[in-house]
Amino acid sequence: AARGDVRAAGLGSADHPLLAAAVSLAGGDERLLTGRLSLRTHPWLGDHAVLGTVLLPGTAFVELAVRAADEAGCDLLEDLTLEAPLVVPEHGGVAVQVWVGAADGSGRRPLTVHARPEDDTDLPWVRHATGFVTERSAEAGGETGAEAGGKEEKAAGRALTAWPPAGCEPIELDGFYDRLADLGLAYGPAFRGLRSAWRTGDEVCAEVTLPDGTDTGSFLLHPALLDAALHAIGVGGLVPEADGPLLPFAWSGVSVHATGASTVRVRLAAAGTDAVSLTVADGAGQPVASVESLTLRPVSAEQLRKRSGDALFTVERTPLSLAAEGADGTVVAYVPDLDALAEADGPAQPDVVVVPCPDGPEGVSGAERVRVVTTEVLGLVQRWLAEDRTARLVLVARCDDLAHAAAGGLVRSAQAENPGRIVLLETDRPDEAAALVPGVVRSGEPHVVVRDGEAGVPRLVRAAAARTTKDAATGRTGRTDDTDDTAAAPTGLGTVLLTGASGALGGTLARHLVTGHGVRRLLLVSRRGADAPGAADLAAELVALGAEATWAACDLADRAAVARLLAAHPV
């Protein structure tokens, strides 16, 4: 989409490749800058893939923050913490907002970076970064002349005119980017800018350049250039190796002294066990940027999967009209089972065959009835698909029946494998199915649910984040904790009952409930309970995360056993 004149919307132009508009908010001294990122408008971002996912580089957050600081009259990014990776989608784009708050008494201003998918306004804005910006003179205020002068000199950056540094040792770079790819850092041409590197004492120096033709005009410091400068950390061993790829996490004392650089000299030094400092100069050695401290953190594939599949989904029923229409010549046969159909087969086969879902034997447990009914339905479906029939099978199941629900799940799997041959009709009035079937068949829908006379079709929809946490609580426990014990349960949730907790999925979900939803009390249930392999380790891990975890052994198919479980562990 072409950029319009943002002034018509009451905005000012940000004049930046990543940000389109800037506005001063009414009622205070705040600034807001907005933009849109996508692989179509910013194709070079596709060259920054981490563990198979395209991420906005941490250096791009710095670029956004420094541009916003400039809008507010600040020239020092005091600190910036990256709270969540920002996934750049394969299709479409993300909307970005950079907010700078009013200055406090010392001149410091808070800053945040938020983003969300541009076409999904139901999703909340996610805060990806937070920090503070200020003026160098404000930072030096209140100090002695010598102290202030020292800080201003440091802020102005150091020149790197002696190049390469005397006494340095060259570092071999052959195969370097291939090795990074093996670690999960797949850089394309835009980010493969590391050209030379040297080791001098406990520091690493490097020369970095952007590919020919890269437009740097409106950038303060092109994110791909600064990102490539950070690659020298890997060749110099300035920080310990980690289990996953290391990404920028926290920046401190960032200043940009000159813009438009396409080739830079970089000097990096360790600033702690997992942090470095940077001095960046242009090809003549004159200061371009300086970073007092950059802390790195590992990222895992699980973290990125949660961000790339950022939303939760749920099933909702979309209304469907089953208005009666005139006869269309469709021949419908209503039979109790397929044996009855075979006995009644004549020269003309029906177009639609309607069969009720079997009820199963009486006087058996719920679990046994589910097993029998699903087995019968499996045989019915297999037989139908094996016979040479052009008709469609309509299986009528009751909405409020546990065994029929299980059979319906089986049928939906069969439908996926054999599209167009089976229709599932779930209704709370199966004795009225004959009046429903013609409309259901004409709709062309493979699955129709009719409750209280209203028909609908299940559709997968994005779950609004505002109700996701509530659903996580009420859907699993049936109640919430109304007490104001925020220290014990920040989200207001009571005890969450988690079944199958001793399996791999159970452990993953338990951790997610604690870290992602603030759950603080879990009742972990499996057939073996605390005796299951790994149960003690999982409980200890959850306790370390701040939760109370209790194991219980129970067969969830045994209603009486579940009743005893809940009585012994009230939620």
Side-chain angles (χ1 to χ4, degrees), residues 19-38:
L19 296 166
V23 62
S24 297
L25 300 183
D29 187 22
E30 302 176 28
R31 305 290 192 277
L32 183 68
L33 293 87
T34 65
R36 175 187 181 275
L37 306 176
S38 77

Side-chain angles (χ1 to χ4, degrees), residues 125-509:
W125 288 91
V126 174
R127 192 174 73 181
H128 291 274
T130 182
F132 289 91
V133 297
T134 188
E135 298 180 67
R136 292 192 192 106
S137 57
E139 187 191 41
E143 298 174 349
T144 66
E147 290 172 337
K151 278 203 168 185
E152 289 176 0
E153 181 181 356
K154 185 176 183 181
R158 289 188 297 166
L160 299 178
T161 51
W163 200 259
C168 64
E169 300 177 1
I171 299 176
E172 179 60 55
L173 296 181
D174 286 347
F176 171 66
Y177 282 105
D178 292 335
R179 293 193 295 273
L180 288 186
D182 292 338
L183 295 174
L185 296 169
Y187 293 123
F191 286 82
R192 293 194 170 205
L194 186 61
R195 296 290 181 264
S196 306
W198 301 268
R199 183 179 289 103
T200 171
D202 56 356
E203 297 181 339
V204 172
C205 295
E207 191 165 290
V208 180
T209 187
L210 289 171
D212 292 340
T214 302
D215 181 14
T216 64
S218 298
F219 283 102
L220 299 173
L221 181 58
H222 199 292
L225 188 68
L226 182 56
D227 192 273
L230 302 183
H231 301 171
I233 298 173
V235 298
L238 294 177
V239 298
E241 294 184 0
D243 294 336
L246 290 171
L247 297 182
F249 170 66
W251 303 78
S252 298
V254 181
S255 297
V256 176
H257 314 296
T259 64
S262 59
T263 296
V264 293
R265 300 171 178 177
V266 187
R267 190 166 195 146
L268 304 101
T273 56
D274 55 358
V276 297
S277 63
L278 287 84
T279 299
V280 184
D282 63 16
Q286 297 306 306
V288 168
S290 55
V291 180
E292 291 181 12
S293 175
L294 165 61
T295 302
L296 303 163
R297 289 285 187 273
V299 66
S300 68
E302 181 181 2
Q303 289 173 298
L304 299 185
R305 279 195 299 270
K306 288 196 292 187
R307 291 295 167 185
S308 58
D310 212 17
L312 296 178
F313 292 83
T314 187
V315 176
E316 291 185 357
R317 281 195 299 142
T318 300
L320 176 69
S321 175
L322 297 181
E325 299 180 6
D328 57 4
T330 300
V331 179
V332 182
Y334 298 88
V335 296
D337 53 47
L338 292 187
D339 287 334
L341 176 64
E343 294 170 1
D345 269 347
Q349 292 189 359
D351 301 302
V352 177
V353 175
V354 183
V355 180
C357 186
D359 288 329
E362 295 182 359
V364 299
S365 69
E368 176 61 16
R369 180 169 170 269
V370 168
R371 187 190 67 80
V372 173
V373 169
T374 51
T375 300
E376 290 186 27
V377 171
L378 175 62
L380 183 150
V381 169
Q382 289 175 329
R383 178 176 170 184
W384 177 263
L385 295 174
E387 294 179 355
D388 185 20
R389 293 181 180 273
T390 58
R392 274 179 289 178
L393 173 68
V394 177
L395 182 72
V396 180
R398 287 196 301 274
C399 296
D400 55 356
D401 189 290
L402 177 63
H404 285 201
L410 183 151
V411 169
R412 288 193 291 275
S413 295
Q415 288 175 322
E417 298 170 353
N418 303 273
R421 297 202 61 187
I422 307 172
V423 176
L424 176 62
L425 169 58
E426 292 187 277
T427 174
D428 53 359
R429 302 170 185 173
D431 54 330
E432 300 177 5
L436 301 172
V437 166
V440 170
V441 172
R442 280 194 293 267
S443 74
E445 292 286 346
H447 182 194
V448 177
V449 179
V450 181
R451 284 194 177 96
D452 298 325
E454 297 182 359
V457 291
R459 291 287 188 264
L460 191 66
V461 298
R462 199 182 295 273
R467 69 168 185 264
T468 297
T469 301
K470 176 184 175 184
D471 291 346
T474 59
R476 289 180 174 85
T477 68
R479 59 185 286 187
T480 58
D481 188 349
D482 295 327
T483 63
D484 192 26
D485 186 9
T486 54
T491 59
L493 304 186
T495 300
V496 173
L497 171 65
L498 181 60
T499 65
S502 60
L505 278 178
T508 298
L509 181 56

Side-chain angles (χ1 to χ4, degrees), residues 39-115:
L39 294 183
R40 189 179 66 81
T41 57
H42 305 83
W44 56 274
L45 290 176
D47 287 347
H48 186 268
V50 180
L51 298 173
T53 301
V54 176
L55 298 182
L56 185 70
T59 52
F61 283 104
V62 170
E63 178 73 12
L64 293 171
V66 172
R67 173 63 188 89
D70 182 61
E71 187 73 17
C74 298
D75 55 9
L76 176 65
L77 178 57
E78 189 173 294
D79 62 70
L80 184 72
T81 301
L82 308 186
E83 299 179 342
L86 174 53
V87 175
V88 183
E90 182 178 358
H91 304 288
V94 291
V96 177
Q97 290 187 357
V98 187
W99 169 83
V100 182
D104 62 15
S106 66
R108 298 171 76 239
R109 292 173 177 263
L111 177 144
T112 61
V113 181
H114 286 77

